Amino acid sequence: MNYVSLIGTLEGSPRVVNKKGLDCVECKITTTKDVINKAGVRTQKIETHVVFAWGKWSRILLAHSSPNLKVAVEGEIVNFFTHYKGRVFKHTEIEINDLILM
């Protein structure tokens, strides 16, 4: 099963990109997690996730989103590879299947 659920903050503004010949909306979501290091000090770990949406979710993101907006996203992990200067790079993104703007 390929299922992802994220609650985080929208970073920047969504942008329209072309994937597989079709337009979709791409944006970044940051999530935070409390971590205790070896010294016993609690710190926050911040991770950035690239998410993209098709159809109605793309229209909702473009119309109603703003930077620092809290969002909840459900979707699936999508991996793809690109070639650049003879090297292969793996990219991981999340395709939105459901979205809640908070």
Side-chain angles (χ1 to χ4, degrees):
M1 176 184 256
N2 185 355
Y3 176 80
V4 176
S5 179
L6 294 174
I7 297 175
T9 305
L10 195 65
E11 292 297 314
S13 297
R15 61 188 181 105
V16 177
V17 295
N18 190 310
K19 289 184 187 279
K20 301 179 186 175
L22 299 171
D23 286 340
C24 70
V25 172
E26 183 178 273
C27 58
K28 292 182 181 179
I29 295 176
T30 57
T31 57
T32 58
K33 177 169 86 171
D34 287 334
V35 179
I36 299 175
N37 62 15
K38 291 180 182 179
V41 178
R42 177 178 286 173
T43 60
Q44 276 196 336
K45 181 178 179 182
I46 299 173
E47 293 183 350
T48 302
H49 311 276
V50 178
V51 299
F52 66 95
W54 309 92
K56 69 177 179 180
W57 299 123
S58 64
R59 291 189 297 275
I60 289 170
L61 273 175
L62 285 174
H64 301 291
S65 64
S66 61
N68 299 323
L69 176 70
K70 293 282 189 188
V71 294
V73 170
E74 290 182 356
E76 64 182 58
I77 297 172
V78 177
N79 294 308
F80 62 95
F81 299 90
T82 57
H83 299 274
Y84 180 71
K85 294 186 179 181
R87 297 181 64 195
V88 178
F89 295 92
K90 179 182 177 184
H91 301 277
T92 302
E93 296 181 350
I94 298 167
E95 181 178 354
I96 295 174
N97 292 333
D98 197 8
L99 171 70
I100 298 173
L101 304 175
M102 296 188 243

